[in-house]
Amino acid sequence: MSRLLKRTDAPPVARRELTVVSADGSRIHVEEHGPEGAPTVVLAHGWTCSTHFWAAQIRDLAADHRVIAYDQRGHGRSPAVPGGYSTDALADDLEAVLAAVLAQGEKAVLGGHSMGGMTLMAASGRDRFRQHAAAVLLCSTGSARLVDESLVLPLRSGRLRTRLTQFVLSAPAPLGPVTALSKRILKYATMGPGSAPERVAECARIVHACARRTRVAWSHVLGALDLDTGVRGMNVPAIVVGGTADRLTPMVHSRHLAAALPQCVELVELAGMGHMTPVEAPEAVTAKLRELAGTYLNAKEKAV
């Protein structure tokens, strides 16, 4: 049985943990897995998630890669900062993480899911990104019109659906404990119809752990998202992954990214998968991270 299918409730234990201070003083929790000196992969999770979201990828990649995962501000073990919610803040935090974990000129593969992918887009013009990004994986993400294109509500596209979708995604009501009903709602909104119950439960535990204030604040940022300029400026090899049953960021976003990126090497459409692709299809997502690392981090050694 694949290592990726041996899932447990406990997330992987980091070899090292550190706290990185971002430009505005925000404290970002960072975890390091795998052997020192191995090719490095840096993972940025999405809205309402945490480093635990990457558990399957960390377990597999850490056998022969140095894997860096961090909690976006307000998520997981990174505390919230009042008023510190913006795409510029996401880029600041990523730059701070890259500066802390990579030597000058050292390259890494950067992987981002959902808001994590948007983080990479927001940072694409930053010095640290250009210095350290060898290649990127953009997974279940988009650069603009997120609310307009969302299929969470089964209504015809238009102003009414957009307004109602924004209301639902930014609703301040607490999610409460994980229940059978909440798992059904989460599965409908974020996962494919064939998702295994244990993977639905895993996502529910992660999402319900996100603080209400964080969830609502970031929903407003994502609702006004416009990162097309960042996409066009992301001049590194990129793989785009999307799920054909994704209601939050439908495949129209992945296809737009693939067309706009200067160096898109592949668009991967995962049949029947929803928005939570790293959990729903862990083998496929991990394989693409390995492919990027093997191709773009080891290119110099192969040439020799």
Side-chain angles (χ1 to χ4, degrees):
M1 181 182 292
S2 167
R3 285 193 301 270
L4 288 171
L5 294 179
K6 295 179 180 177
R7 311 185 68 84
T8 66
D9 289 339
V13 177
R15 174 171 59 80
R16 182 171 75 109
E17 296 183 356
L18 63 153
T19 299
V20 171
V21 179
S22 191
D24 65 352
S26 296
R27 299 173 68 81
I28 306 301
H29 172 72
V30 181
E31 299 175 3
E32 182 175 348
H33 303 259
E36 292 186 37
T40 301
V41 176
V42 179
L43 300 174
H45 68 74
W47 178 48
T48 73
C49 294
S50 68
T51 59
H52 296 178
F53 190 77
W54 295 109
Q57 286 69 46
I58 293 170
R59 288 192 183 99
D60 186 277
L61 291 171
D64 50 3
H65 291 71
R66 178 175 175 244
V67 184
I68 305 296
Y70 70 97
D71 284 324
Q72 302 270 23
R73 60 172 59 197
H75 296 75
R77 294 166 65 184
S78 294
V81 174
Y85 302 97
S86 69
T87 54
D88 281 341
L90 293 176
D92 288 341
D93 297 348
L94 176 63
E95 279 203 297
V97 171
L98 295 179
V101 302
L102 297 172
Q104 185 173 359
E106 183 182 359
K107 296 291 186 179
V109 166
L110 311 183
H113 169 261
S114 190
M115 193 173 78
M118 299 161 200
T119 301
L120 305 187
M121 300 174 210
S124 66
R126 301 289 188 94
D127 289 341
R128 293 287 181 184
F129 181 94
R130 292 178 173 175
Q131 180 185 155
H132 294 298
V136 300
L137 178 75
L138 298 174
C139 191
S140 305
T141 190
S143 58
R145 294 180 54 82
L146 298 184
V147 179
D148 294 339
E149 300 289 357
S150 171
L151 302 176
V152 170
L153 298 181
L155 301 172
R156 292 180 60 181
S157 63
R159 293 180 181 177
L160 176 61
R161 189 181 75 178
T162 297
R163 287 198 299 268
L164 291 176
T165 299
Q166 182 62 54
F167 174 78
V168 170
L169 296 180
S170 61
L175 295 181
V178 176
T179 64
L181 176 60
S182 69
K183 285 188 286 188
R184 286 198 295 270
I185 293 171
L186 180 82
K187 179 180 178 181
Y188 167 80
T190 69
M191 304 182 77
S195 297
E198 63 271 17
R199 293 183 177 176
V200 175
E202 181 180 1
C203 285
R205 286 192 297 270
I206 294 170
V207 170
H208 279 244
C210 181
R212 175 175 55 178
R213 180 175 64 175
T214 294
R215 172 169 51 85
V216 173
W218 281 116
S219 74
H220 293 298
V221 174
L222 301 183
L225 195 73
D226 185 0
L227 292 173
D228 283 343
T229 299
V231 175
R232 292 190 294 269
M234 190 177 285
N235 195 18
V236 295
I239 292 178
V240 179
V241 175
T244 62
D246 188 343
R247 291 186 172 94
L248 278 179
T249 53
M251 282 302 304
V252 62
H253 293 292
S254 295
R255 294 173 186 137
H256 169 73
L257 293 176
L261 285 162
Q263 296 189 58
C264 182
V265 298
E266 186 179 8
L267 169 61
V268 180
E269 300 193 18
L270 297 175
M273 298 300 163
H275 184 67
M276 305 300 215
T277 43
V279 174
E280 295 178 76
E283 295 91 345
V285 172
T286 303
K288 292 305 170 183
L289 288 167
R290 280 190 171 278
E291 181 180 323
L292 288 172
T295 301
Y296 299 103
L297 293 182
N298 298 329
K300 182 181 293 186
E301 289 84 349
K302 289 179 180 180
V304 176

